[in-house]
Amino acid sequence: MCIRDRGWPGLRASLALVLGLGLCGVPYSGPDVGGFTGAPSPELFLRWFQLGSLLPFFRTHAAIDAGRREPWEFGAQVLEHAGAALRERSRLP
């Protein structure tokens, strides 16, 4: 799934789209964490990462000219919270 709206509305739309796809029989879906284009703020990236970590398909991915999408690119605090989200994902069945 590609959400090109890179701001808070894109994050909101990601959840609605994944839930809608699940209801339509497509259980394996998820957004491009951080949005496909643009440069999310550290907080927006973290919130997107946290949401993505609870969805079936989870990846940080973007257009080639949109910049990096690794948690460490957004600072130590984002990395710490992203690590917690990953630990929670691995704990869940």
Side-chain angles (χ1 to χ4, degrees):
M1 172 184 1
C2 176
I3 299 291
R4 293 192 181 272
D5 185 349
R6 59 200 173 273
W8 292 98
L11 174 62
R12 193 174 306 112
S14 294
L15 180 56
L17 284 170
V18 169
L19 291 174
L21 285 168
L23 290 171
C24 292
V26 182
Y28 189 66
S29 64
D32 295 328
V33 170
F36 191 69
T37 61
S41 69
E43 182 185 2
L44 177 57
F45 176 81
L46 176 60
R47 300 304 178 209
W48 216 312
F49 193 94
Q50 290 169 328
L51 172 64
S53 72
L54 299 173
L55 298 175
F57 186 72
F58 175 48
R59 69 177 181 176
T60 59
H61 175 72
I64 198 163
D65 61 347
R68 305 294 299 253
R69 290 289 197 267
E70 292 84 8
W72 54 85
E73 296 290 332
F74 293 89
Q77 190 173 21
V78 169
L79 183 59
E80 177 184 342
H81 291 292
L86 289 177
R87 287 188 294 277
E88 182 66 13
R89 179 182 175 87
S90 66
R91 187 189 70 74
L92 296 172

